[in-house]
Amino acid sequence: MASSFSFTALVLLISSLAAGFLLLFRRTRHRRMGLPPGSLGLPLIGETLQLIKAYKTENPEPFIDERVSRYGSVFTTHLFGEPTVFSADAETNRFVLQNEGKLFECSYPASISNLMGKYSLIRMEGSLHKRMHSLTMSFANASAMKDHLMVDIDRLVRFNLGSWSSRVLLMEESKKMTFDVAVKQLTSFDPGEWSERLRKEYHLVIEGFFSLSHPLFSTTYRKAIKARRKVAEALTAVITERREEMEEGAERKTDMLAALIAADDGFSDEEIVDFFVAILVDAYETTPTIMTLAVKFLTETPLALAQLKEEHEKIRAMKSDSESLEWSDYKSMTFTQCVVNETLRVANVIGGVFRRTTTDVEMNGYKIPKGWKVFLSFRGVHLDQNHFEDARTFNPWRWQSNSVTTTRPTKVFTPFGGGPRICPGYELARVAISVFLHHLVTSFSWVHEEQDKMVFFPTTRTKKRYPIIVKRRDGSLSST
């Protein structure tokens, strides 16, 4: 018995010494390479589990805070199977974003890249990316808003809010709204059974983003792959039908699908499907989360809610009940934009982006080897007290022109990324959120069900739906 115990203890001792030696060797080697300070964590898995665990809690900040305190705002870690330089520094982030296509290229974990598809915007490179990015921008710019998008957004928001009953799961309802808007923009389809089935499959696809990227090891990823296949089949059927209609001389629609099919050198069905998949991911996940968190923060900040109501009641007083909002109405929503900015800053729905070095890069006195991942943390910058006074408090007034609580906001505020890969639908997202807030505060009053507290940072896997009890401003409960 004693001999067995001694042998076990010896094995454990040798294993511990070997692991310690390996970690010491890796740290010493990376210091010699001129990398930023940091820790690569455990062999193979690095610090991935700590990151995922942190972002499933109500307060994920310690993952960044502890490392910034120990190593500085740029540090080395190991995430999703690869050594990674993590940046919570505004200057470093801007340098990387500005050198997209020169020193860096877009690079995401395999679980995300595989589900998005090789022709999605996040995987496109060079002239193809530039062309598709420009095309997307043309369908979501101010001109398109004035022409027809404002009317579509207003109508679809009204349609969805019109079905609200006394108890509303706000996250779910927001997802329906934004998904319907995107489907309309892409295919001209109005809300119906087809779009609802597609939306339910999207939930499974997005669940697979932050999972092990192998179906044998992850049930979640296996379900996501299956759902992605169904999404592709549904979109391909729509593309095929539209091609046949156009060949038969049908009147051309003004949606994005028509533009892609009619392009001079054309796009294959696979290219269009992958392109649409990525756009609909944003519509299903990011914008509705911002909407929900805006309501959460406003509910917790009565003075901001009162000022927002006042702004929108003035706009509504100049219109009939059935009259749609116009572009000029949107441009007059000055405090609304403060609310949207502050929600984007505090919530950080897009916490950051991954890039990969295409050559050895010198940055901030450090040397980043070719092929290394770099993660740009927008969240780390947006919640930095050096850039925003009382940074972790929701304060929409900081965005007013006479405020002194913000320093250099245009340089450090990057909720939609930056450089050539800035989110092409950023203006569309702002408009959709603003129109939603307009109809919400002018049509309803509400209270939040306190027993279902929403996680401060809702990840793609959050189950919180932020239930609220709504009542129409005319005194009657909303119709079902």
Side-chain angles (χ1 to χ4, degrees):
M1 177 74 88
S3 175
S4 175
F5 177 79
S6 299
F7 177 76
T8 302
L10 180 62
V11 170
L12 290 174
L13 177 62
I14 293 173
S15 300
S16 299
L17 289 173
F21 176 78
L22 178 60
L23 289 173
L24 179 63
F25 172 76
R26 291 163 78 192
R27 289 174 182 171
T28 304
R29 176 172 174 265
H30 288 126
R31 277 200 296 268
R32 290 201 306 268
M33 292 170 65
L35 284 160
S39 171
L40 296 179
L42 297 172
L44 300 179
I45 62 174
E47 297 188 304
T48 305
L49 296 181
Q50 292 99 310
L51 177 68
I52 293 175
K53 182 180 179 181
Y55 278 84
K56 286 184 178 180
T57 68
E58 292 190 12
N59 178 26
E61 308 312 327
F63 181 87
I64 299 176
D65 291 347
E66 291 171 5
R67 287 158 181 77
V68 168
S69 176
R70 188 183 305 172
Y71 306 118
S73 57
V74 179
F75 56 88
T76 300
T77 181
H78 193 288
L79 301 173
F80 300 104
E82 296 188 63
T84 303
V85 172
F86 192 109
S87 170
D89 177 72
E91 292 293 334
T92 300
N93 290 359
R94 186 160 57 254
F95 172 80
V96 175
L97 292 172
Q98 289 175 346
N99 283 280
E100 167 84 28
K102 302 172 186 176
L103 305 177
F104 303 90
E105 63 183 7
C106 192
S107 181
Y108 281 86
S111 56
I112 297 176
S113 297
N114 294 342
L115 289 170
M116 286 289 202
K118 64 182 179 180
Y119 295 112
S120 65
L121 272 175
I122 70 166
R123 294 184 63 179
M124 288 182 187
E125 299 288 346
S127 59
L128 179 59
H129 173 267
K130 185 177 181 180
R131 181 184 173 204
M132 293 299 281
H133 190 275
S134 177
L135 176 65
T136 309
M137 291 279 285
S138 71
F139 273 84
N141 58 20
S143 178
M145 298 289 179
K146 296 175 187 177
D147 183 40
H148 64 280
L149 276 181
M150 277 292 296
V151 174
D152 286 340
I153 294 170
D154 189 89
R155 179 175 60 83
L156 290 170
V157 169
R158 285 171 180 261
F159 174 80
N160 279 278
L161 265 62
S163 66
W164 280 15
S165 60
S166 60
R167 185 176 186 269
V168 174
L169 300 176
L170 188 55
M171 181 74 86
E172 292 298 312
E173 294 301 320
S174 298
K175 287 182 176 182
K176 290 179 183 178
M177 272 184 281
T178 55
F179 197 78
D180 287 345
V181 168
V183 168
K184 180 70 175 179
Q185 184 187 17
L186 298 179
T187 66
S188 296
F189 282 13
D190 282 321
E193 291 183 8
W194 182 85
S195 60
E196 184 60 17
R197 287 197 303 271
L198 193 70
R199 189 179 68 83
K200 289 179 179 178
E201 296 298 338
Y202 257 88
H203 176 76
L204 297 175
V205 173
I206 293 172
E207 283 279 300
F209 278 0
F210 295 99
S211 61
L212 294 174
S213 58
H214 199 293
L216 291 178
F217 302 126
S218 173
T219 302
T220 300
Y221 191 72
R222 186 162 60 248
K223 290 180 179 178
I225 289 291
K226 183 178 179 180
R228 209 280 186 189
R229 193 176 300 118
K230 290 183 179 180
V231 168
E233 290 171 355
L235 292 174
T236 300
V238 172
I239 296 167
T240 300
E241 183 178 354
R242 181 67 66 84
R243 288 189 190 278
E244 292 173 353
E245 290 176 357
M246 294 177 70
E247 288 174 359
E248 293 171 359
E251 182 180 356
R252 177 178 167 178
K253 292 182 171 63
T254 58
D255 54 32
M256 194 174 289
L257 177 56
L260 291 171
I261 292 176
D264 292 339
D265 48 357
F267 292 95
S268 68
D269 288 2
E270 183 183 5
E271 288 173 323
I272 297 175
V273 166
D274 287 357
F275 181 62
F276 279 9
V277 164
I279 291 177
L280 289 171
V281 164
D282 289 337
Y284 181 83
E285 191 62 31
T286 56
T287 305
T289 304
I290 298 165
M291 287 179 172
T292 304
L293 284 170
V295 175
K296 167 185 160 57
F297 295 147
L298 287 166
T299 304
E300 296 168 352
T301 317
L303 286 177
L305 179 57
Q307 187 167 336
L308 187 76
K309 285 181 179 178
E310 182 181 358
E311 178 171 271
H312 287 282
E313 284 169 352
K314 287 180 180 178
I315 295 172
R316 196 75 253 162
M318 300 172 64
K319 294 179 172 294
S320 66
D321 291 341
S322 60
E323 192 175 354
S324 297
L325 290 171
E326 299 176 349
W327 181 251
S328 58
D329 298 318
Y330 168 68
K331 298 302 287 185
S332 71
M333 299 176 185
T334 54
F335 187 69
T336 304
Q337 296 314 305
C338 294
V339 170
V340 173
N341 279 345
E342 187 68 349
T343 303
L344 289 166
R345 186 193 69 80
V346 177
N348 292 287
V349 177
I350 302 175
V353 295
F354 284 96
R355 295 293 183 263
R356 188 186 297 279
T357 55
T358 56
T359 184
D360 292 346
V361 177
E362 291 196 14
M363 186 171 64
N364 280 12
Y366 300 117
K367 294 181 180 179
I368 316 300
K370 177 182 178 180
W372 266 55
K373 279 273 183 72
V374 179
F375 181 76
L376 312 180
S377 175
F378 303 148
R379 182 178 186 79
V381 174
H382 292 163
L383 299 182
D384 188 337
Q385 304 285 358
N386 294 317
H387 301 306
F388 299 93
E389 184 180 314
D390 201 10
R392 299 184 182 184
T393 299
F394 179 77
N395 175 16
W397 296 278
R398 76 171 76 243
W399 296 97
Q400 293 180 330
S401 57
N402 60 349
S403 173
V404 295
T405 61
T406 304
T407 59
R408 307 189 310 278
T410 56
K411 292 186 177 180
V412 301
F413 185 56
T414 54
F416 297 103
R421 288 189 180 272
I422 188 171
C423 175
Y426 69 88
E427 190 67 55
L428 176 62
R430 284 183 172 279
V431 171
I433 297 164
S434 300
V435 172
F436 163 70
L437 289 175
H438 171 83
H439 288 297
L440 178 69
V441 301
T442 58
S443 301
F444 296 95
S445 59
W446 69 89
V447 293
H448 174 225
E449 286 190 354
E450 294 294 336
Q451 67 270 25
D452 188 15
K453 290 184 178 180
M454 187 171 190
V455 174
F456 178 72
F457 180 84
T459 66
T460 54
R461 295 181 59 80
T462 185
K463 303 300 181 184
K464 303 299 182 182
R465 297 173 291 180
Y466 201 73
I468 58 176
I469 306 299
V470 297
K471 189 175 184 180
R472 286 201 181 275
R473 296 287 294 275
D474 62 7
S476 62
L477 289 174
S478 55
S479 59
T480 57

